Structure formats: structure tokens, C-alpha cells
Amino acid sequence: MTRIQNLQELATNAAMKSQCRFMVGAMIVKGNTVYATGYNNTRTRFLGMRDCSQHAEMAAATKFINSVVRRNPKKYCFVWDPA
């Protein structure tokens, strides 16, 4: 199996975990490393608002932030300059 086929299979497996009518999977990948996978979820809360569903890419981004960025805060330093 090629690298692309392996990544497609991982995204399909992530999508199959969804309980929504339209199953969608997403991944965050750099090179050969898969950092996070996600799928669309039902009934979530984000930024204090209740939403009917969380998109797959947002679930993958949330998982990436919680598992990678927060463990390496010096490597992923975001500076906001209002000036």
C-alpha cells in the first residue's frame, strides 16, 4: 500500500467512528507523522456555545492543540501584537 492509501484508510477509519448521518474524517499530517485525527461529532460545546455538531477538521484541530501544542508551549508560541 502506498503512503496516500494508508492516509486515506486512516481518515476512513476515523470517519467510521462518527454517529452522524454524513460521516466525515480529518487528519493533521506532516511528512509521515499523523498528529491528530478527528470525525464529526453530535452535540458539542465550543467557546461556551452549544452547537448541533462539531466538524471533523475542528475535532482534529482541538485534539492537536490539546495533545501537541499544550505539551510543547515553547515550540508553539503564538504572540499577538495589537499595535
Side-chain angles (χ1 to χ4, degrees):
M1 235 192 263
T2 67
R3 178 177 170 267
I4 298 297
Q5 289 172 333
N6 285 336
L7 293 176
Q8 287 175 338
E9 185 175 336
L10 287 173
T12 302
N13 290 340
M16 297 303 283
K17 295 177 184 175
S18 176
Q19 297 174 353
C20 296
R21 181 175 173 193
F22 298 104
M23 296 184 219
V24 180
M27 297 187 314
I28 297 178
V29 179
K30 181 179 178 184
N32 291 329
T33 306
V34 177
Y35 287 100
T37 60
Y39 55 92
N40 52 338
N41 300 316
T42 57
R43 309 294 300 193
T44 60
R45 288 184 74 91
F46 181 69
L47 295 176
M49 297 173 54
R50 189 170 270 298
D51 210 357
C52 61
S53 69
Q54 180 183 29
H55 289 230
E57 64 275 9
M58 197 62 205
T62 302
K63 198 177 289 186
F64 175 74
I65 289 168
N66 289 336
S67 64
V68 177
V69 175
R70 289 191 178 173
R71 291 181 188 222
N72 303 312
K74 292 182 181 177
K75 183 176 179 182
Y76 299 97
C77 181
F78 301 102
V79 177
W80 180 67
D81 186 14

